[in-house]
Amino acid sequence: MASEEHTVVHYVEKPDTRIPPDFIEEILLRLPISSLLKLRRVCKQWRNMISDPHFIMEHAYRAPKHLLLYLPKVDLPASLCSKTLKCRATIIDEKWSPWTWAALHMDPDDHLFASCNGLLCFYKTYTLKIANPATGQCLHLLKPDGIMLHDFHYLYSFGFHPTSREYKLVHFLREPQRYKSGQPFHFNTIQVYTLGEDKWRDIRVPRPCCMVNLGVVTVDGSMYWLTEDEETGCGMSVASFDLREETFASIQLPPFEVKEIASCATPKIACYITEIDGKVCIVTIPYQSHIPRWRRYNTELSGRMDIWALESQTEHKWFLKYSIQSPSVHRYVPQPCFIHRERIILQDRDGNAWYHDLAGKNVQIEHREEVKLLDIGAYRFYETQSYFYKETLIPLSVYAGAAIVCAPPRPLAPPVA
């Protein structure tokens, strides 16, 4: 009897080749925003993942922090305008390499006054503009009612509170009776706008303030600026405003040497406020009598510059972070942020930007050890601004309230090396 052949078919179960969502998210979190904007079109799952608020916050947290050099508009010959307006914003990346934005998100009348979580705030003649350069989105906000005369870009600031996750604009309402030329900009009311709401709110300051033109920084959900204070030995203190609770506090300045302290009318030192490594810092330099304290010019690095960092707000404790001795050549530091990753950015009168390593607490600036970054050119060296900046996916469209006009996204051209 013929043997029958039996064919045995073995079914082998294929392994699951699907990548777990956690792995996909971890990969996407490591990609630049330019790639994420393209990958959102791959599938619904990726689009939802990249658009999730938790993903956006985590990506922004991991994003490297850069220095942004902003060059205000100046009156230039027509032959130079088309060339120079393309390089009004320069990024200094984590390796301290400069690259220039194609400034499609900037209009000729824009004046940068704040940078927060990748959002840039511009002062305009009739409105305020918040822009996300990474996505091309921007919002135009109405200014507080009646704010036209004696209005300046440094009377505005912008901040974020990490707990409430609210973005707030602050306008320091200058007192009409203090419009006299040559006087500090006093105010006893601030006007607050929460992004997404439909109106500004007035909040009374416990005591009259001024000096916001010497810098305003936001750290850990509080906004800080310098103000006159007759009860202190040096005539000034630090005012803080909690963006969540909307309460004020006063912080004593660092323990300056007695020989440096003088009356508020005739100071021997000048103070500025900045942010370094996520801390509020006070910069002190020899006072220059030819520059009034209420005029916002970039700091001339002359003699010794001490930088004090706030260690404890409740205990008013400071520590000396840097003591910098400058060379005989003239150097200037842009405002308000000019130290990043243990390097200081400097400018000269010929339109060049440099950086110098800060090795240790006591630093001697050596001219031969400076590294040139770029040639700023025809811009005024004493008005260059510098802020911290990181790219973000934050969608501005979710904040389109009644008081906001939303402009359509305009994609940015690739950066010019």
Side-chain angles (χ1 to χ4, degrees):
M1 181 175 179
S3 61
E4 296 181 0
E5 294 183 359
H6 298 279
T7 303
V8 180
V9 179
H10 297 279
Y11 291 93
V12 179
E13 185 177 351
K14 293 183 179 180
D16 190 352
T17 57
R18 291 177 299 178
I19 303 176
D22 291 347
F23 284 20
I24 296 177
E25 181 177 356
E26 187 62 32
I27 294 172
L28 294 177
L29 284 171
R30 299 169 184 266
L31 298 179
I33 285 182
S34 57
S35 298
L36 294 176
L37 294 176
K38 298 176 182 178
L39 292 175
R40 285 195 302 189
R41 299 192 291 267
V42 171
C43 64
K44 184 177 180 180
Q45 179 192 10
W46 287 18
R47 182 177 71 249
N48 293 340
M49 184 178 294
I50 294 171
S51 303
D52 184 83
H54 173 76
F55 180 93
I56 293 174
M57 295 298 295
E58 182 65 22
H59 187 274
Y61 176 78
R62 298 189 186 191
K65 182 185 289 186
H66 308 306
L67 268 179
L68 167 64
L69 285 183
Y70 175 77
L71 310 173
K73 179 188 175 184
V74 294
D75 296 326
L76 297 173
S79 59
L80 296 177
C81 285
S82 59
K83 178 180 179 180
T84 54
L85 284 179
K86 294 181 180 179
C87 57
R88 290 177 62 190
T90 300
I91 289 289
I92 309 298
D93 65 20
E94 62 271 25
K95 298 180 180 179
W96 278 78
S97 298
W99 52 272
T100 303
W101 271 336
L104 296 179
H105 57 287
M106 295 186 199
D107 298 319
D109 65 333
D110 285 350
H111 199 121
L112 184 65
F113 66 84
S115 172
C116 178
N117 288 358
L119 302 181
L120 303 182
C121 293
F122 295 95
Y123 174 90
K124 300 174 72 67
T125 304
Y126 300 104
T127 61
L128 304 174
K129 183 173 76 174
I130 298 179
N132 185 339
T135 64
Q137 289 185 328
C138 65
L139 298 175
H140 291 267
L141 289 77
L142 300 177
K143 292 182 182 180
D145 292 339
I147 302 301
M148 287 295 294
L149 190 63
H150 303 290
D151 195 31
F152 300 97
H153 69 276
Y154 47 75
L155 296 179
Y156 294 86
S157 192
F158 183 62
F160 172 78
H161 197 284
T163 302
S164 65
R165 295 193 174 184
E166 290 180 328
Y167 290 89
K168 294 188 178 183
L169 274 159
V170 174
H171 174 241
F172 304 97
L173 182 59
R174 187 179 178 188
E175 297 178 13
Q177 63 270 28
R178 299 296 185 95
Y179 283 169
K180 185 178 179 181
S181 177
Q183 295 296 320
F185 305 113
H186 288 82
F187 60 92
N188 54 26
T189 299
I190 65 172
Q191 297 176 299
V192 178
Y193 176 83
T194 302
L195 214 59
E197 294 184 352
D198 59 356
K199 64 179 180 180
W200 292 78
R201 295 176 289 107
D202 290 355
I203 299 178
R204 192 76 175 180
V205 180
R207 53 193 295 178
C209 289
C210 62
M211 301 301 186
V212 292
N213 52 300
L214 300 181
V216 180
V217 297
T218 301
V219 177
D220 294 333
S222 291
M223 198 171 285
Y224 299 84
W225 63 87
L226 287 164
T227 185
E228 288 183 334
D229 190 342
E230 297 179 355
E231 298 178 3
T232 63
C234 60
M236 288 189 295
S237 62
V238 176
S240 69
F241 176 64
D242 188 296
L243 292 173
R244 181 187 182 185
E245 304 298 331
E246 298 189 344
T247 56
F248 296 88
S250 180
I251 306 171
Q252 297 177 6
L253 285 178
F256 303 141
E257 296 181 18
V258 176
K259 65 181 180 180
E260 294 178 332
I261 298 175
S263 67
C264 190
T266 58
K268 293 185 179 179
I269 60 172
C271 296
Y272 298 85
I273 196 164
T274 185
E275 176 192 350
I276 303 174
D277 298 334
K279 291 185 178 294
V280 181
C281 294
I282 297 297
V283 181
T284 65
I285 59 172
Y287 176 71
Q288 303 170 39
S289 59
H290 64 283
I291 300 181
R293 287 192 303 156
W294 48 87
R295 295 288 296 276
R296 184 172 185 171
Y297 288 134
N298 288 341
T299 306
E300 182 176 356
L301 193 57
S302 176
R304 190 183 80 188
M305 170 188 284
D306 287 342
I307 301 177
W308 298 79
L310 181 61
E311 185 174 16
S312 172
Q313 178 175 344
T314 56
E315 300 178 9
H316 299 201
K317 292 180 62 176
W318 302 78
F319 66 92
L320 184 62
K321 188 172 182 65
Y322 294 111
S323 184
I324 303 173
Q325 296 286 344
S326 64
S328 56
V329 295
H330 290 284
R331 290 291 184 265
Y332 300 82
V333 293
Q335 297 291 332
C337 302
F338 54 89
I339 291 180
H340 183 48
R341 295 181 181 268
E342 298 184 344
R343 286 176 174 173
I344 184 172
I345 188 167
L346 307 165
Q347 295 176 258
D348 61 27
R349 293 183 174 181
D350 297 325
N352 299 305
W354 312 76
Y355 74 78
H356 195 286
D357 288 316
L358 300 176
K361 183 174 73 173
N362 297 301
V363 181
Q364 177 73 31
I365 298 292
E366 298 289 347
H367 179 58
R368 63 179 181 275
E369 296 178 357
E370 294 176 333
V371 179
K372 186 174 179 179
L373 280 170
L374 71 158
D375 182 1
I376 296 176
Y379 293 96
R380 293 176 286 201
F381 63 88
Y382 52 86
E383 288 190 347
T384 307
Q385 298 166 253
S386 58
Y387 296 91
F388 293 129
Y389 171 79
K390 58 169 59 180
E391 290 189 329
T392 182
L393 282 164
I394 295 174
L396 293 178
S397 55
V398 301
Y399 297 108
I404 301 177
V405 178
C406 182
R410 292 182 294 174
L412 299 180
V416 181

